Every structure is written in C-alpha cells, then in structure tokens.
C-alpha cells in the first residue's frame, strides 16, 4: 500500500499509507496533505495504550483506576475522530478545513506545460528558491538557503529567496537545524533564471524520529 509523495514527481520514493488501495489517485493526494489527522490518530493510540497500561489486569482484585479509564476512553475517541475524518476526506473530500488551501479542490492530473526559460538582465544569472506555501512542517521556523555553501536567505512558507550568480554550475541546499535536503546541482547560463521549490517530505510532521533517521533528506529541493 503506497502513495506517491509529490503531486508532480512520480519518481519520488513512495510513502506508506493505511488503506491506500481503498482510494483513487485524487483521494490519495488529499490524504497526503492531512498530516494533522495522522498526528491525531497517533495521539489517540498513544493515549489508549497509556490508559490501558494503568488499568489493572483482568481478574485482578486491585481497585480500578478511574483516571486510567478516562485516558483510555479519551484516546479511543480521539483515534476514532481522526480515522473517520480521514475516511471522509478520502471518499468525499470533506471536511476541507483540514486541507491546505491549494489542495481543497483537487483536480485530475493534467500534463504539465514545459517551464519557460526566464531571462535575467546583464551577463549574470539568477537562482530563485521558493518554499512551498502548502508545506506544513515547522511553519513558524525558516528554512536556511545555501548556494555554494554560502547562506543567502531564509524562507517561511510561500516566501522566495533570489541569488544572483555567475553563469555555470552551482550547488543549492536548504537546511533547518541539523537537517537538510540533498545538495542539488543547478546549471545556469548567462541571463538565465533557474527557479527551485523546497518543502519538507510529506508526513514527517507525524514522525517523531524523522529528524534523526532522515537527517540529510528531511527536506526536498527540486526544480519548479
């Protein structure tokens, strides 16, 4: 059971998702962007297990802990609410409030038009890096943009950083804390502007160990 990580990058590594085969491609794309509901389900399961661990074993003469029962019941309710909301978004696309604005009206795939080569005045070139406005990871923090190892700007969701460079091949990378994207080599000719887009790997919001297990590939940087 797999779902493609990016809308327009079918070669990206697949991300596992429960019950993926029950949904069509449009529904899978919607579910890919509701990490809040994934976190809700995981929180519910955590509370359910925590409350269950406090309850006395079956047949025990120990007094039942009402607080533990309440925690377990709350966990079951939270998990059920998150799971039902995921099913609703998968089959019906609602409630839309859980979807980022750009993905509330998902339409079928259409072939992407070739990206025109943008021109820059003079004998220099330009590299432009935009942070995807739908990126829900660490929204209150900025990604640091590096060109040839030099920090050239910071990005919040929807923001763009531009850097004038000499014609040739340059290495671009985005970082946050000790995590980063793989370095991307970008070739630009005289007067050309290369546009890139970055974001976190979808689903890392609900993966508490991603900052350690995916330290050098937590962020994605690709051509727009």
């Amino acid at each position: 059971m797999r779902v493609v990580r990016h809308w327009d990058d079918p070669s990206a590594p697949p991300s596992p998702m429960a019950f993926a085969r029950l949904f069509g491609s449009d529904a899978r794309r919607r579910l890919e962007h509701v990490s809040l509901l994934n976190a809700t389900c995981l929180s519910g399961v955590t509370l359910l297990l925590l409350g269950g661990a406090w309850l006395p074993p079956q047949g025990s003469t120990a007094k039942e802990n009402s607080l533990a029962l309440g925690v377990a019941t709350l966990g079951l309710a939270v998990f059920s609410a998150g799971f039902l909301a995921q099913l609703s978004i998968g089959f019906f696309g609602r409630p839309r409030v859980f979807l980022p604005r750009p993905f509330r009206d998902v339409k079928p795939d259409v072939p992407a038009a070739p990206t025109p080569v943008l021109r820059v005045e003079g004998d220099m070139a330009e590299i432009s890096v935009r942070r995807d406005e739908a990126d829900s990871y660490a929204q209150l923090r900025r990604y640091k943009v590096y060109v040839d190892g030099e920090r050239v700007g910071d990005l919040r969701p929807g923001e763009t950083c531009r850097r004038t460079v000499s014609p040739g091949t340059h290495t671009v990378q985005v970082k946050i804390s000790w995590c980063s994207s793989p370095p991307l080599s970008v070739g630009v000719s005289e007067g050309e502007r290369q546009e890139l887009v970055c974001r976190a790997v979808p689903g890392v919001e609900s993966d508490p160990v991603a900052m350690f297990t995916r330290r050098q590939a937590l962020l994605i940087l690709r051509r727009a």
Side-chain angles (χ1 to χ4, degrees):
M1 296 186 289
R2 306 188 302 178
V3 58
V4 174
R5 291 183 184 278
H6 313 296
W7 289 52
D8 53 0
D9 186 7
S11 63
S15 176
M17 186 187 73
F19 308 109
R21 294 182 180 179
L22 297 178
F23 304 100
S25 58
D26 292 343
R28 289 200 300 269
R29 290 195 180 109
R30 288 195 295 267
L31 287 168
E32 183 180 339
H33 295 279
V34 288
S35 56
L36 174 62
L37 296 181
N38 293 333
T40 299
C41 290
L42 288 174
S43 299
V45 171
T46 301
L47 290 173
L48 182 59
L49 294 176
L50 183 61
W54 285 352
L55 291 174
Q58 186 176 5
S60 172
T61 58
K63 184 178 180 181
E64 187 174 280
N65 189 331
S66 58
L67 178 60
L69 181 61
V71 170
T73 303
L74 176 62
L76 180 60
V78 169
F79 170 79
S80 299
F83 180 69
L84 291 175
Q86 282 186 322
L87 289 180
S88 179
I89 285 180
F91 285 111
F92 309 112
R94 299 176 187 278
R96 296 184 181 182
V97 67
F98 293 112
L99 291 168
R101 288 187 181 276
F103 309 115
R104 292 183 181 178
D105 295 296
V106 178
K107 297 180 180 180
D109 290 337
V110 294
T115 303
V117 176
L118 303 177
R119 308 301 297 178
V120 178
E121 294 182 2
D123 58 355
M124 298 295 286
E126 185 177 274
I127 294 176
S128 171
V129 181
R130 175 178 59 85
R131 183 175 173 184
D132 192 341
E133 58 273 6
D135 185 10
S136 58
Y137 180 74
Q139 290 185 324
L140 298 180
R141 300 183 60 193
R142 295 180 173 91
Y143 293 169
K144 302 176 182 65
V145 182
Y146 291 82
V147 176
D148 296 329
E150 178 186 357
R151 183 174 171 180
V152 298
D154 303 324
L155 296 176
R156 281 182 173 167
E159 293 182 342
T160 300
C161 171
R162 295 182 175 87
R163 175 72 169 183
T164 301
V165 296
S166 59
T169 301
H170 300 271
T171 301
V172 186
Q173 193 174 26
V174 290
K175 300 181 180 181
I176 181 171
S177 299
W178 58 82
C179 301
S180 67
S181 68
L184 179 67
S185 294
V186 179
V188 288
S189 56
E190 182 178 317
E192 181 184 358
R193 176 189 298 156
Q194 281 282 359
E195 294 191 340
L196 311 176
V197 61
C198 67
R199 62 158 299 150
V201 173
V204 297
E205 300 90 341
S206 56
D207 186 353
V209 298
M211 294 186 68
F212 303 97
T213 60
R214 310 192 62 163
R215 186 171 63 87
Q216 296 179 340
L218 186 78
L219 305 180
I220 300 165
L221 179 64
R222 58 180 175 81
R223 290 174 173 81

